[in-house]
Amino acid sequence: MIRIRTLALLLLSSASLPIAAQTSHPNGFLAHNAEMTRLQPSMISPVVTPDPRLLQYYRVSVAHQYTPSGAATTNYGNTRGAGVILLKRVELDWVPPAYIQHNSVAADGFGDTSISAKVRIASGGTENGNFDVAASLAHCFATGSHTNGGRTDSFSPTLAGAFAYRRMSFVSGFGGVLPTGKIATQGRSISSNQAVQFHARPHLWLEIENNATFYFAGTHDGQMQNFVTPGAFYVGRRKEWGPTHPFFIVDSGMQIATSRFHTYNHNLIAELRILF
């Protein structure tokens, strides 16, 4: 009888191991963002400027802008997508093709898709300097229909950094777009983005950004366009993740051209972000 009871206990304990593993893996996956709050500054991803922090998220975005001729263009997707954290230093992102509606003689259709990897070089939370530095590399696949995407694939390296102090945070990013071919037509570009954020209320963040792009070769060779982008964020939080970690964010911003040359203007961006 004792042997039977012992065998039954062993069977029950071994059967419970897969169940425990099944519950622990999802919880560990969902805890990545909460864990990162100890290692990274407390701030919000800017509307345009690249964020050096590692995040797990899904980001839905719509942008409505005007061409220099006055035609309205709506971008459903706006180069936003999803990201997951691997270990403690790598984030993988995927951007599905956006749908672009021109409201003009240009053909509507889907844009390109891209994947990227971000590596956290160095960072510290609120007790360790409140800063972050990261590098990323994206590969854009020329999957767009008609002329709604690149003519060839391209690579986009980016270096970004952030520093937070009390209710303020400062973010800066430098990157480029390097097509794999047809340079005479597409050209290359270098972007410089800076953002200053202010935590105005428990659920409200405000920011102002400066977004500049410099063009080399191609049809825009020698040109530069610059935008000033004010933005606002409403932040919802999960108690179990702590008071500094958001669960969802609703935000909006508008890119306003401040340079004589610009390929678009008054770009109104609206987003919903889910962090998991």
Side-chain angles (χ1 to χ4, degrees), residues 64-73 102 104 215 220 223-225 227 255 257 259-267:
H64 185 270
Q65 60 187 232
Y66 293 89
T67 65
S69 64
T73 301
H102 292 281
S104 66
Y215 296 94
H220 302 320
Q223 299 285 1
M224 185 275 286
Q225 67 176 353
F227 299 93
Q255 289 188 291
S259 58
R260 177 178 299 179
F261 169 81
H262 48 271
T263 57
Y264 60 89
N265 198 1
H266 298 104
N267 183 30

Side-chain angles (χ1 to χ4, degrees), residues 11-62:
L11 290 173
L12 288 173
S13 61
S14 62
S16 65
L17 288 177
I19 297 175
Q22 291 174 4
T23 56
S24 62
H25 287 308
N27 289 338
F29 177 77
L30 295 175
H32 267 153
N33 273 334
E35 185 180 7
M36 285 294 121
T37 60
R38 299 185 298 102
L39 305 174
Q40 302 177 146
S42 177
M43 49 173 277
I44 302 295
S45 297
V47 175
V48 179
T49 300
D51 188 348
R53 299 174 306 153
L54 304 187
L55 298 170
Q56 288 189 157
Y57 68 92
Y58 192 82
R59 197 166 171 179
V60 180
S61 179
V62 177

Side-chain angles (χ1 to χ4, degrees), residues 241-263:
W241 282 359
T244 62
H245 187 78
F247 168 54
F248 75 90
I249 301 172
V250 178
D251 62 273
S252 182
M254 176 176 281
Q255 289 188 291
I256 303 170
T258 57
S259 58
R260 177 178 299 179
F261 169 81
H262 48 271
T263 57

Side-chain angles (χ1 to χ4, degrees), residues 188-202:
R188 300 184 179 95
S189 65
I190 294 176
S191 61
S192 173
N193 298 280
Q194 291 78 37
V196 178
Q197 299 179 329
F198 177 64
H199 193 182
R201 305 287 295 173

